[in-house]
Amino acid sequence: MIWRILANLTRRRARFEASAPSPVIVMTKACIDQVSRQIAPSTERGHESIVYLLGLTDGNTALAVSSVAPVTIATPTSVDVEAPELGKVIRRATLSDLQVVGQLHTHPGKAYHSQGDLKGMRIRHPGYFSIVAPAYGVRLPSLDDTHSLIWQEDGFRDVTQPVRLLDEEST
C-alpha cells in the first residue's frame, strides 16, 4: 500500500515540472538612443543597417548597454558585415569587459527574420539575440513592431515578450 501511494506521488510530481522561463531582452535607454544615431545615415539613404549590442547575458536574459556600428556593405534590401569588421566588434566588447549579446538590424518593410538573416548570423551563443526593426528603423527608439529571436542551445527561438527599455535615471 505504501509503495502504491509513493508511486502515485512520484507520478503526480512529474506532471508539474517547471518550465523554463521566457527569454527576456533588456536595453538601456542610452543604448537604444545610440543605436538610433548609428543607423540614421543608412535610414536616410534607404538602406538596411546593422549594429551589434554589447552587454551581459546569462543565456536567458540579456542586457544591452552599448552598441557598435561596423562598416557594412548595404543596399536597400541587404546588409553584410565582413569578418575583419566583426572582429573589431568582438575586440571592443572584450576591451570593455562585455559580451556581444545581440544585434539590431533593419528591413525596408515589415520586421521578420528572413532565411538570409538566419544564415548570415555568425555570432551564436546562448542568450545572443537578434532584433529586426521595420521601415529601416525610422520608428526607433520605439521598439514597437520589431521582431526578436534569441539563440538557445537548440537554435533560434521567438522572444514573445517585448524588448524592455531600462531608463537608468529612474533606477
Side-chain angles (χ1 to χ4, degrees), residues 79-137:
V79 64
D80 186 47
V81 179
E82 293 185 337
E85 285 298 311
L86 197 52
K88 290 176 187 177
V89 171
I90 293 167
R91 180 172 169 75
R92 177 139 171 226
T94 301
L95 292 174
S96 303
D97 289 326
L98 296 171
Q99 299 167 286
V100 182
V101 295
Q103 64 184 45
L104 183 147
H105 80 278
T106 64
H107 275 192
K110 293 166 93 176
Y112 68 96
H113 284 80
S114 68
Q115 288 303 312
D117 293 339
L118 298 176
K119 184 179 176 185
M121 273 190 257
R122 291 176 239 157
I123 299 176
R124 295 180 183 194
H125 59 79
Y128 184 83
F129 63 90
S130 176
I131 301 170
V132 175
Y136 296 123

Tab-separated table of all heavy atoms in Angstrom, residues 79-137:
chain	number	residue	atom	x	y	z
A	79	VAL	N	22.252	43.772	-45.925
A	79	VAL	CA	23.387	44.349	-45.206
A	79	VAL	C	24.334	43.206	-44.873
A	79	VAL	O	23.895	42.106	-44.514
A	79	VAL	CB	22.941	45.117	-43.936
A	79	VAL	CG1	22.292	44.216	-42.908
A	79	VAL	CG2	24.101	45.883	-43.322
A	80	ASP	N	25.636	43.455	-45.036
A	80	ASP	CA	26.630	42.420	-44.765
A	80	ASP	C	27.790	43.035	-43.990
A	80	ASP	O	28.185	44.175	-44.254
A	80	ASP	CB	27.147	41.813	-46.072
A	80	ASP	CG	28.075	40.631	-45.827
A	80	ASP	OD1	27.714	39.755	-45.015
A	80	ASP	OD2	29.171	40.604	-46.413
A	81	VAL	N	28.299	42.259	-43.045
A	81	VAL	CA	29.451	42.664	-42.255
A	81	VAL	C	30.570	41.677	-42.560
A	81	VAL	O	30.399	40.468	-42.364
A	81	VAL	CB	29.129	42.649	-40.742
A	81	VAL	CG1	30.351	43.047	-39.928
A	81	VAL	CG2	27.944	43.552	-40.438
A	82	GLU	N	31.693	42.193	-43.031
A	82	GLU	CA	32.824	41.318	-43.338
A	82	GLU	C	33.557	40.949	-42.054
A	82	GLU	O	33.486	41.662	-41.046
A	82	GLU	CB	33.737	41.986	-44.355
A	82	GLU	CG	33.048	42.132	-45.709
A	82	GLU	CD	33.952	42.681	-46.793
A	82	GLU	OE1	34.951	43.362	-46.476
A	82	GLU	OE2	33.646	42.416	-47.974
A	83	ALA	N	34.275	39.838	-42.096
A	83	ALA	CA	34.935	39.272	-40.915
A	83	ALA	C	35.825	40.262	-40.166
A	83	ALA	O	35.763	40.307	-38.925
A	83	ALA	CB	35.720	38.020	-41.310
A	84	PRO	N	36.668	41.060	-40.836
A	84	PRO	CA	37.502	41.994	-40.069
A	84	PRO	C	36.682	42.994	-39.240
A	84	PRO	O	37.064	43.340	-38.124
A	84	PRO	CB	38.320	42.716	-41.144
A	84	PRO	CG	38.344	41.778	-42.297
A	84	PRO	CD	37.009	41.085	-42.263
A	85	GLU	N	35.548	43.431	-39.770
A	85	GLU	CA	34.690	44.357	-39.021
A	85	GLU	C	34.048	43.656	-37.828
A	85	GLU	O	33.916	44.234	-36.757
A	85	GLU	CB	33.616	44.962	-39.929
A	85	GLU	CG	34.140	46.005	-40.862
A	85	GLU	CD	34.737	47.213	-40.128
A	85	GLU	OE1	34.091	47.761	-39.208
A	85	GLU	OE2	35.857	47.621	-40.495
A	86	LEU	N	33.648	42.412	-38.030
A	86	LEU	CA	33.078	41.641	-36.930
A	86	LEU	C	34.130	41.437	-35.842
A	86	LEU	O	33.830	41.515	-34.650
A	86	LEU	CB	32.558	40.299	-37.448
A	86	LEU	CG	31.608	39.540	-36.562
A	86	LEU	CD1	30.435	40.393	-36.114
A	86	LEU	CD2	31.112	38.303	-37.270
A	87	GLY	N	35.369	41.225	-36.255
A	87	GLY	CA	36.470	41.104	-35.305
A	87	GLY	C	36.635	42.357	-34.465
A	87	GLY	O	36.911	42.286	-33.259
A	88	LYS	N	36.465	43.533	-35.077
A	88	LYS	CA	36.569	44.798	-34.336
A	88	LYS	C	35.465	44.906	-33.283
A	88	LYS	O	35.688	45.428	-32.185
A	88	LYS	CB	36.499	45.984	-35.305
A	88	LYS	CG	37.712	46.134	-36.183
A	88	LYS	CD	37.523	47.280	-37.172
A	88	LYS	CE	38.644	47.347	-38.186
A	88	LYS	NZ	38.417	48.427	-39.185
A	89	VAL	N	34.274	44.436	-33.630
A	89	VAL	CA	33.160	44.463	-32.677
A	89	VAL	C	33.490	43.587	-31.470
A	89	VAL	O	33.324	44.004	-30.314
A	89	VAL	CB	31.850	43.984	-33.357
A	89	VAL	CG1	30.734	43.788	-32.342
A	89	VAL	CG2	31.432	44.952	-34.453
A	90	ILE	N	33.982	42.387	-31.742
A	90	ILE	CA	34.312	41.458	-30.655
A	90	ILE	C	35.440	42.024	-29.799
A	90	ILE	O	35.413	41.942	-28.562
A	90	ILE	CB	34.664	40.070	-31.234
A	90	ILE	CG1	33.408	39.460	-31.874
A	90	ILE	CG2	35.243	39.152	-30.166
A	90	ILE	CD1	33.662	38.250	-32.748
A	91	ARG	N	36.428	42.632	-30.439
A	91	ARG	CA	37.542	43.240	-29.692
A	91	ARG	C	37.032	44.358	-28.785
A	91	ARG	O	37.436	44.463	-27.634
A	91	ARG	CB	38.594	43.755	-30.654
A	91	ARG	CG	39.781	44.400	-29.968
A	91	ARG	CD	40.897	44.718	-30.974
A	91	ARG	NE	41.922	45.538	-30.417
A	91	ARG	CZ	42.866	45.143	-29.567
A	91	ARG	NH1	42.891	43.882	-29.180
A	91	ARG	NH2	43.767	45.974	-29.106
A	92	ARG	N	36.147	45.192	-29.299
A	92	ARG	CA	35.615	46.293	-28.476
A	92	ARG	C	34.859	45.743	-27.264
A	92	ARG	O	34.985	46.268	-26.164
A	92	ARG	CB	34.707	47.183	-29.315
A	92	ARG	CG	34.080	48.275	-28.506
A	92	ARG	CD	34.039	49.580	-29.225
A	92	ARG	NE	33.247	50.526	-28.479
A	92	ARG	CZ	32.335	51.301	-29.001
A	92	ARG	NH1	32.119	51.288	-30.300
A	92	ARG	NH2	31.670	52.129	-28.255
A	93	ALA	N	34.087	44.703	-27.476
A	93	ALA	CA	33.370	44.094	-26.347
A	93	ALA	C	34.359	43.563	-25.320
A	93	ALA	O	34.208	43.805	-24.115
A	93	ALA	CB	32.457	42.971	-26.848
A	94	THR	N	35.377	42.866	-25.798
A	94	THR	CA	36.371	42.281	-24.895
A	94	THR	C	37.088	43.358	-24.097
A	94	THR	O	37.264	43.226	-22.877
A	94	THR	CB	37.390	41.453	-25.711
A	94	THR	OG1	36.673	40.433	-26.416
A	94	THR	CG2	38.433	40.817	-24.817
A	95	LEU	N	37.492	44.430	-24.758
A	95	LEU	CA	38.201	45.516	-24.072
A	95	LEU	C	37.305	46.242	-23.067
A	95	LEU	O	37.795	46.873	-22.135
A	95	LEU	CB	38.769	46.504	-25.089
A	95	LEU	CG	39.909	45.971	-25.959
A	95	LEU	CD1	40.288	46.986	-27.032
A	95	LEU	CD2	41.116	45.588	-25.104
A	96	SER	N	35.998	46.148	-23.264
A	96	SER	CA	35.035	46.783	-22.354
A	96	SER	C	34.545	45.835	-21.266
A	96	SER	O	33.650	46.192	-20.498
A	96	SER	CB	33.831	47.299	-23.144
A	96	SER	OG	34.227	48.196	-24.136
A	97	ASP	N	35.091	44.614	-21.227
A	97	ASP	CA	34.639	43.579	-20.288
A	97	ASP	C	33.146	43.281	-20.451
A	97	ASP	O	32.431	43.066	-19.480
A	97	ASP	CB	34.950	43.957	-18.835
A	97	ASP	CG	36.424	43.897	-18.529
A	97	ASP	OD1	37.121	43.025	-19.092
A	97	ASP	OD2	36.896	44.727	-17.718
A	98	LEU	N	32.697	43.309	-21.706
A	98	LEU	CA	31.303	42.996	-22.015
A	98	LEU	C	31.249	41.858	-23.019
A	98	LEU	O	32.277	41.409	-23.511
A	98	LEU	CB	30.607	44.234	-22.600
A	98	LEU	CG	30.483	45.434	-21.668
A	98	LEU	CD1	29.983	46.657	-22.430
A	98	LEU	CD2	29.564	45.125	-20.494
A	99	GLN	N	30.053	41.418	-23.332
A	99	GLN	CA	29.817	40.395	-24.337
A	99	GLN	C	29.085	41.031	-25.520
A	99	GLN	O	28.383	42.031	-25.346
A	99	GLN	CB	28.919	39.280	-23.777
A	99	GLN	CG	29.477	38.536	-22.596
A	99	GLN	CD	28.385	37.709	-21.942
A	99	GLN	OE1	27.515	38.238	-21.277
A	99	GLN	NE2	28.437	36.398	-22.150
A	100	VAL	N	29.234	40.441	-26.694
A	100	VAL	CA	28.362	40.806	-27.811
A	100	VAL	C	27.086	40.004	-27.555
A	100	VAL	O	27.055	38.794	-27.740
A	100	VAL	CB	28.989	40.457	-29.175
A	100	VAL	CG1	28.056	40.897	-30.298
A	100	VAL	CG2	30.357	41.100	-29.329
A	101	VAL	N	26.055	40.698	-27.069
A	101	VAL	CA	24.833	39.997	-26.651
A	101	VAL	C	23.762	39.952	-27.724
A	101	VAL	O	22.788	39.226	-27.588
A	101	VAL	CB	24.234	40.604	-25.358
A	101	VAL	CG1	25.167	40.403	-24.183
A	101	VAL	CG2	23.870	42.058	-25.534
A	102	GLY	N	23.941	40.748	-28.791
A	102	GLY	CA	22.913	40.726	-29.818
A	102	GLY	C	23.195	41.687	-30.946
A	102	GLY	O	24.264	42.299	-31.026
A	103	GLN	N	22.208	41.771	-31.802
A	103	GLN	CA	22.289	42.673	-32.940
A	103	GLN	C	20.911	43.250	-33.195
A	103	GLN	O	19.894	42.664	-32.826
A	103	GLN	CB	22.779	41.934	-34.176
A	103	GLN	CG	21.823	40.846	-34.663
A	103	GLN	CD	22.387	40.078	-35.836
A	103	GLN	OE1	23.542	39.684	-35.837
A	103	GLN	NE2	21.551	39.863	-36.849
A	104	LEU	N	20.899	44.421	-33.793
A	104	LEU	CA	19.667	45.023	-34.266
A	104	LEU	C	19.919	45.402	-35.710
A	104	LEU	O	20.918	46.059	-36.008
A	104	LEU	CB	19.300	46.253	-33.445
A	104	LEU	CG	17.969	46.921	-33.821
A	104	LEU	CD1	17.308	47.509	-32.594
A	104	LEU	CD2	18.104	47.946	-34.913
A	105	HIS	N	19.073	44.915	-36.600
A	105	HIS	CA	19.201	45.335	-37.989
A	105	HIS	C	17.837	45.713	-38.535
A	105	HIS	O	16.812	45.418	-37.936
A	105	HIS	CB	19.943	44.290	-38.837
A	105	HIS	CG	19.140	43.124	-39.297
A	105	HIS	ND1	18.878	42.033	-38.519
A	105	HIS	CD2	18.551	42.895	-40.491
A	105	HIS	CE1	18.166	41.161	-39.206
A	105	HIS	NE2	17.946	41.652	-40.406
A	106	THR	N	17.872	46.421	-39.641
A	106	THR	CA	16.639	46.976	-40.172
A	106	THR	C	16.244	46.306	-41.477
A	106	THR	O	17.089	45.769	-42.189
A	106	THR	CB	16.796	48.493	-40.414
A	106	THR	OG1	17.792	48.708	-41.413
A	106	THR	CG2	17.180	49.220	-39.133
A	107	HIS	N	14.970	46.349	-41.738
A	107	HIS	CA	14.395	45.881	-43.001
A	107	HIS	C	13.627	47.038	-43.629
A	107	HIS	O	13.152	47.921	-42.913
A	107	HIS	CB	13.431	44.720	-42.756
A	107	HIS	CG	14.080	43.389	-42.685
A	107	HIS	ND1	13.355	42.220	-42.704
A	107	HIS	CD2	15.377	43.003	-42.589
A	107	HIS	CE1	14.171	41.181	-42.615
A	107	HIS	NE2	15.407	41.641	-42.541
A	108	PRO	N	13.427	47.004	-44.940
A	108	PRO	CA	12.676	48.077	-45.585
A	108	PRO	C	11.182	48.055	-45.243
A	108	PRO	O	10.559	49.104	-45.123
A	108	PRO	CB	12.892	47.830	-47.078
A	108	PRO	CG	13.318	46.404	-47.188
A	108	PRO	CD	13.978	46.049	-45.895
A	109	GLY	N	10.619	46.886	-45.079
A	109	GLY	CA	9.188	46.754	-44.804
A	109	GLY	C	8.953	46.236	-43.407
A	109	GLY	O	9.430	46.793	-42.427
A	110	LYS	N	8.232	45.109	-43.337
A	110	LYS	CA	7.890	44.508	-42.059
A	110	LYS	C	9.112	43.927	-41.360
A	110	LYS	O	10.119	43.617	-41.989
A	110	LYS	CB	6.855	43.398	-42.269
A	110	LYS	CG	5.504	43.894	-42.735
A	110	LYS	CD	4.645	42.765	-43.238
A	110	LYS	CE	3.761	42.213	-42.161
A	110	LYS	NZ	2.849	41.167	-42.647
A	111	ALA	N	8.972	43.748	-40.057
A	111	ALA	CA	10.037	43.155	-39.253
A	111	ALA	C	9.844	41.644	-39.181
A	111	ALA	O	8.825	41.163	-38.695
A	111	ALA	CB	10.024	43.744	-37.851
A	112	TYR	N	10.804	40.915	-39.701
A	112	TYR	CA	10.821	39.461	-39.615
A	112	TYR	C	12.254	39.019	-39.889
A	112	TYR	O	13.053	39.775	-40.441
A	112	TYR	CB	9.859	38.816	-40.630
A	112	TYR	CG	10.294	39.007	-42.064
A	112	TYR	CD1	11.010	38.014	-42.723
A	112	TYR	CD2	10.029	40.188	-42.749
A	112	TYR	CE1	11.432	38.200	-44.042
A	112	TYR	CE2	10.448	40.378	-44.051
A	112	TYR	CZ	11.158	39.379	-44.692
A	112	TYR	OH	11.585	39.565	-45.977
A	113	HIS	N	12.581	37.819	-39.494
A	113	HIS	CA	13.912	37.264	-39.763
A	113	HIS	C	13.826	36.375	-40.999
A	113	HIS	O	13.174	35.337	-40.973
A	113	HIS	CB	14.419	36.468	-38.562
A	113	HIS	CG	14.879	37.343	-37.442
A	113	HIS	ND1	14.011	37.932	-36.559
A	113	HIS	CD2	16.127	37.741	-37.091
A	113	HIS	CE1	14.706	38.646	-35.703
A	113	HIS	NE2	15.986	38.555	-36.003
A	114	SER	N	14.479	36.812	-42.056
A	114	SER	CA	14.482	36.040	-43.295
A	114	SER	C	15.460	34.869	-43.166
A	114	SER	O	16.289	34.831	-42.248
A	114	SER	CB	14.905	36.925	-44.467
A	114	SER	OG	16.276	37.280	-44.333
A	115	GLN	N	15.391	33.938	-44.097
A	115	GLN	CA	16.351	32.829	-44.112
A	115	GLN	C	17.778	33.365	-44.263
A	115	GLN	O	18.708	32.850	-43.666
A	115	GLN	CB	16.016	31.834	-45.222
A	115	GLN	CG	14.772	31.010	-44.945
A	115	GLN	CD	14.879	30.245	-43.642
A	115	GLN	OE1	15.876	29.590	-43.360
A	115	GLN	NE2	13.839	30.316	-42.832
A	116	GLY	N	17.936	34.431	-45.056
A	116	GLY	CA	19.247	35.053	-45.219
A	116	GLY	C	19.749	35.661	-43.917
A	116	GLY	O	20.944	35.593	-43.605
A	117	ASP	N	18.837	36.244	-43.141
A	117	ASP	CA	19.213	36.798	-41.837
A	117	ASP	C	19.750	35.694	-40.927
A	117	ASP	O	20.787	35.845	-40.281
A	117	ASP	CB	18.016	37.453	-41.142
A	117	ASP	CG	17.509	38.687	-41.846
A	117	ASP	OD1	18.272	39.299	-42.623
A	117	ASP	OD2	16.336	39.042	-41.619
A	118	LEU	N	19.031	34.585	-40.877
A	118	LEU	CA	19.427	33.485	-40.004
A	118	LEU	C	20.755	32.882	-40.449
A	118	LEU	O	21.631	32.602	-39.631
A	118	LEU	CB	18.340	32.411	-39.964
A	118	LEU	CG	16.990	32.874	-39.416
A	118	LEU	CD1	15.967	31.751	-39.521
A	118	LEU	CD2	17.103	33.369	-37.989
A	119	LYS	N	20.905	32.705	-41.753
A	119	LYS	CA	22.141	32.127	-42.287
A	119	LYS	C	23.333	33.065	-42.052
A	119	LYS	O	24.439	32.623	-41.781
A	119	LYS	CB	21.970	31.842	-43.779
A	119	LYS	CG	23.147	31.148	-44.401
A	119	LYS	CD	22.892	30.877	-45.875
A	119	LYS	CE	24.128	30.257	-46.505
A	119	LYS	NZ	23.973	30.092	-47.939
A	120	GLY	N	23.100	34.365	-42.156
A	120	GLY	CA	24.178	35.341	-42.050
A	120	GLY	C	24.620	35.653	-40.632
A	120	GLY	O	25.639	36.318	-40.439
A	121	MET	N	23.866	35.209	-39.626
A	121	MET	CA	24.267	35.477	-38.243
A	121	MET	C	25.432	34.585	-37.870
A	121	MET	O	25.284	33.383	-37.715
A	121	MET	CB	23.093	35.255	-37.298
A	121	MET	CG	22.251	36.487	-37.149
A	121	MET	SD	21.070	36.311	-35.837
A	121	MET	CE	19.596	36.006	-36.806
A	122	ARG	N	26.587	35.194	-37.749
A	122	ARG	CA	27.799	34.425	-37.461
A	122	ARG	C	28.086	34.306	-35.982
A	122	ARG	O	28.880	33.473	-35.579
A	122	ARG	CB	28.981	35.042	-38.202
A	122	ARG	CG	28.840	34.830	-39.704
A	122	ARG	CD	29.938	35.499	-40.456
A	122	ARG	NE	29.277	36.436	-41.360
A	122	ARG	CZ	29.825	37.490	-41.878
A	122	ARG	NH1	31.061	37.789	-41.594
A	122	ARG	NH2	29.153	38.269	-42.680
A	123	ILE	N	27.484	35.161	-35.182
A	123	ILE	CA	27.647	35.048	-33.731
A	123	ILE	C	26.439	34.291	-33.204
A	123	ILE	O	25.301	34.695	-33.452
A	123	ILE	CB	27.756	36.426	-33.056
A	123	ILE	CG1	28.969	37.186	-33.585
A	123	ILE	CG2	27.830	36.275	-31.540
A	123	ILE	CD1	29.105	38.591	-33.042
A	124	ARG	N	26.706	33.217	-32.504
A	124	ARG	CA	25.616	32.416	-31.919
A	124	ARG	C	26.110	31.814	-30.624
A	124	ARG	O	27.019	30.997	-30.623
A	124	ARG	CB	25.189	31.293	-32.861
A	124	ARG	CG	24.587	31.801	-34.153
A	124	ARG	CD	24.181	30.671	-35.045
A	124	ARG	NE	23.665	31.201	-36.304
A	124	ARG	CZ	23.004	30.496	-37.180
A	124	ARG	NH1	22.778	29.224	-36.957
A	124	ARG	NH2	22.585	31.042	-38.284
A	125	HIS	N	25.525	32.255	-29.545
A	125	HIS	CA	25.800	31.656	-28.237
A	125	HIS	C	24.539	31.802	-27.398
A	125	HIS	O	23.688	32.653	-27.700
A	125	HIS	CB	27.017	32.318	-27.555
A	125	HIS	CG	26.877	33.791	-27.325
A	125	HIS	ND1	26.143	34.321	-26.285
A	125	HIS	CD2	27.360	34.844	-28.016
A	125	HIS	CE1	26.198	35.642	-26.332
A	125	HIS	NE2	26.922	35.988	-27.370
A	126	PRO	N	24.359	30.966	-26.378
A	126	PRO	CA	23.144	31.065	-25.572
A	126	PRO	C	22.946	32.482	-25.034
A	126	PRO	O	23.852	33.064	-24.442
A	126	PRO	CB	23.378	30.061	-24.438
A	126	PRO	CG	24.297	29.049	-25.052
A	126	PRO	CD	25.208	29.855	-25.948
A	127	GLY	N	21.783	33.036	-25.309
A	127	GLY	CA	21.462	34.388	-24.878
A	127	GLY	C	21.688	35.444	-25.937
A	127	GLY	O	21.314	36.596	-25.756
A	128	TYR	N	22.298	35.075	-27.090
A	128	TYR	CA	22.507	36.033	-28.172
A	128	TYR	C	21.167	36.282	-28.859
A	128	TYR	O	20.469	35.352	-29.218
A	128	TYR	CB	23.512	35.491	-29.191
A	128	TYR	CG	23.843	36.477	-30.296
A	128	TYR	CD1	24.802	37.452	-30.095
A	128	TYR	CD2	23.190	36.440	-31.514
A	128	TYR	CE1	25.107	38.371	-31.091
A	128	TYR	CE2	23.486	37.341	-32.512
A	128	TYR	CZ	24.447	38.315	-32.294
A	128	TYR	OH	24.740	39.220	-33.279
A	129	PHE	N	20.822	37.545	-29.021
A	129	PHE	CA	19.532	37.841	-29.609
A	129	PHE	C	19.666	38.694	-30.862
A	129	PHE	O	20.692	39.316	-31.105
A	129	PHE	CB	18.597	38.525	-28.605
A	129	PHE	CG	19.075	39.869	-28.127
A	129	PHE	CD1	18.716	41.018	-28.800
A	129	PHE	CD2	19.860	39.982	-27.001
A	129	PHE	CE1	19.148	42.262	-28.377
A	129	PHE	CE2	20.304	41.217	-26.556
A	129	PHE	CZ	19.943	42.365	-27.251
A	130	SER	N	18.612	38.682	-31.636
A	130	SER	CA	18.550	39.470	-32.855
A	130	SER	C	17.204	40.177	-32.904
A	130	SER	O	16.167	39.554	-32.695
A	130	SER	CB	18.704	38.569	-34.079
A	130	SER	OG	18.548	39.331	-35.269
A	131	ILE	N	17.266	41.476	-33.160
A	131	ILE	CA	16.055	42.288	-33.302
A	131	ILE	C	16.031	42.840	-34.720
A	131	ILE	O	17.029	43.375	-35.189
A	131	ILE	CB	16.046	43.472	-32.306
A	131	ILE	CG1	16.137	42.970	-30.866
A	131	ILE	CG2	14.805	44.343	-32.513
A	131	ILE	CD1	16.374	44.074	-29.851
A	132	VAL	N	14.902	42.702	-35.404
A	132	VAL	CA	14.716	43.328	-36.705
A	132	VAL	C	13.708	44.461	-36.524
A	132	VAL	O	12.618	44.252	-35.983
A	132	VAL	CB	14.204	42.334	-37.767
A	132	VAL	CG1	13.913	43.056	-39.081
A	132	VAL	CG2	15.210	41.224	-37.995
A	133	ALA	N	14.106	45.656	-36.964
A	133	ALA	CA	13.228	46.827	-36.904
A	133	ALA	C	12.667	47.092	-38.298
A	133	ALA	O	13.406	47.041	-39.282
A	133	ALA	CB	14.004	48.047	-36.406
A	134	PRO	N	11.366	47.386	-38.403
A	134	PRO	CA	10.763	47.642	-39.721
A	134	PRO	C	11.085	49.046	-40.227
A	134	PRO	O	11.573	49.902	-39.483
A	134	PRO	CB	9.265	47.507	-39.432
A	134	PRO	CG	9.118	47.968	-38.017
A	134	PRO	CD	10.379	47.486	-37.328
A	135	ALA	N	10.770	49.275	-41.493
A	135	ALA	CA	10.837	50.606	-42.120
A	135	ALA	C	12.197	51.267	-41.911
A	135	ALA	O	12.271	52.452	-41.619
A	135	ALA	CB	9.703	51.490	-41.609
A	136	TYR	N	13.266	50.482	-42.098
A	136	TYR	CA	14.644	50.981	-41.940
A	136	TYR	C	14.911	51.598	-40.570
A	136	TYR	O	15.830	52.388	-40.407
A	136	TYR	CB	15.011	51.976	-43.042
A	136	TYR	CG	15.023	51.403	-44.426
A	136	TYR	CD1	14.223	51.953	-45.419
A	136	TYR	CD2	15.829	50.320	-44.760
A	136	TYR	CE1	14.230	51.439	-46.711
A	136	TYR	CE2	15.837	49.788	-46.045
A	136	TYR	CZ	15.041	50.348	-47.013
A	136	TYR	OH	15.051	49.840	-48.283
A	137	GLY	N	14.088	51.286	-39.594
A	137	GLY	CA	14.322	51.779	-38.241
A	137	GLY	C	13.856	53.194	-37.982
A	137	GLY	O	14.250	53.794	-36.979
